Amino acid sequence: MYRMGKKLAELTERQLYALRKRLAAGVGDPALTLRGTLVSDMRRCSGEHCRCRRGQLHGPYTYLTTYSSGRSRMVYVPQAVVATATEHVNATQHGEALLAEISRVNLELLKRRALR
Ligand SMILES: [Zn+2]
């Protein structure tokens, strides 16, 4: 497996094209894109005599923190879709890391006037 951060300048054009192809093959279905970060925590409710007052907290509750136009917001993730949302978020982060790397490869090809 190719290690991120390897010096692209040391690769031949042929290797760069092969790398680009390999990276692109790892990008998942764009229809599953879900950007953001998932956080889970346990909560205390407002009930004075609730078990959470004795340390048995409620939860976990999961939230997706999303960023848009420089602002972040938290969206509650219902338990029924936490696993699916986690898969989507992980696949999206992986895919975006691959796209960033593909862009680096293309930049290297551009510098060599070999971009196609
Ligand atoms: Zn409670």
Side-chain angles (χ1 to χ4, degrees), residues 26-102:
V27 178
D29 182 355
L32 304 182
T33 301
L34 184 59
R35 289 183 172 145
T37 309
L38 289 166
V39 287
S40 284
D41 61 17
M42 305 294 284
R43 292 279 167 100
R44 217 171 235 117
C45 72
S46 57
E48 270 181 55
H49 305 290
C50 184
R51 60 185 171 85
C52 65
R53 299 287 150 172
R54 299 188 298 276
Q56 294 176 50
L57 302 180
H58 305 282
Y61 295 105
T62 303
Y63 295 85
L64 178 72
T65 305
T66 59
Y67 301 91
S68 172
S69 311
R71 302 178 66 174
S72 72
R73 66 190 183 115
M74 285 178 95
V75 178
Y76 174 67
V77 181
Q79 195 58 42
V81 291
V82 165
T84 305
T86 302
E87 284 174 25
H88 282 40
V89 166
N90 289 344
T92 300
Q93 288 173 356
H94 180 68
E96 288 184 344
L98 291 172
L99 290 176
E101 197 59 15
I102 290 168

